[in-house]
Amino acid sequence: MSDELNLYIYLNICMFNSQCFHTLNKPFLNPPDWVFRPVWIILYATILLSVVIYIFCKNMENKTKGYIFFTLQILLNIIWSPVFFGMKNIALALFIIILLDIFVILTIKEFFKSSKTASALLVPYLLWIIFATYLNLSYLLLN
């Protein structure tokens, strides 16, 4: 068997054992586990505030693209964790988070047409998921 296939089999077996997940090589900038909860609480609050501002903003008549992009990025956000942590599929999770990055950028762009404030509230979220993309890619490359 090739080394790549052996590594793939090892990772799939390893990822189904949560203790084993913690033994994987971690990226250089991997934050401690306790950081994620408060960051996501703040980010979800700003995401919610952003969409509420967008909904009630009367600067634009047709906001359909903004709603579509927002909905798609939320769905991608929701499915990333079960794919990464539940299915233990780091490669598929990377694909999902790259799509998430793209749709958050598109959402910011559409929200900006209606409300600069709604758009700006999504920038910290974008920065965090770009960082999460680095982490996801690093886990894939390091293990």
Side-chain angles (χ1 to χ4, degrees):
M1 255 191 270
S2 72
D3 288 339
E4 292 84 11
L5 182 57
N6 285 332
L7 177 61
Y8 178 77
I9 292 169
Y10 168 76
L11 285 176
N12 281 323
I13 292 169
C14 183
M15 297 303 281
F16 279 96
N17 178 344
S18 62
Q19 290 177 340
C20 187
F21 179 75
H22 291 291
T23 66
L24 293 175
N25 296 322
K26 294 185 178 32
F28 175 69
L29 296 174
N30 193 62
D33 291 344
W34 64 266
V35 169
F36 292 93
R37 182 173 295 210
V39 167
W40 277 110
I41 289 170
I42 292 166
L43 290 175
Y44 283 132
T46 60
I47 292 166
L48 177 61
L49 182 57
S50 174
V51 76
V52 167
I53 291 170
Y54 186 72
I55 288 168
F56 290 104
C57 183
K58 297 187 189 326
N59 290 354
M60 249 175 80
E61 286 183 25
N62 188 356
K63 298 190 281 188
T64 304
K65 279 174 49 176
Y67 292 129
I68 291 169
F69 294 152
F70 182 83
T71 302
L72 289 173
Q73 65 84 19
I74 286 295
L75 291 173
L76 290 164
N77 183 313
I78 290 168
I79 65 171
W80 181 87
S81 288
V83 170
F84 188 87
F85 295 109
M87 292 173 54
K88 317 301 186 205
N89 191 330
I90 299 173
L92 180 58
L94 179 62
F95 176 73
I96 291 167
I97 203 166
I98 289 170
L99 288 176
L100 176 59
D101 295 337
I102 292 166
F103 279 102
V104 170
I105 291 168
L106 292 172
T107 302
I108 289 170
K109 182 180 171 188
E110 281 302 309
F111 278 27
F112 188 83
K113 294 176 183 177
S114 238
S115 168
K116 291 180 176 123
T117 303
S119 179
L121 283 167
L122 293 176
V123 171
Y125 173 45
L126 175 63
L127 295 175
W128 183 256
I129 61 168
I130 288 171
F131 177 64
T133 304
Y134 151 77
L135 293 175
N136 194 149
L137 176 62
S138 296
Y139 266 107
L140 186 64
L141 295 176
L142 292 171
N143 295 284

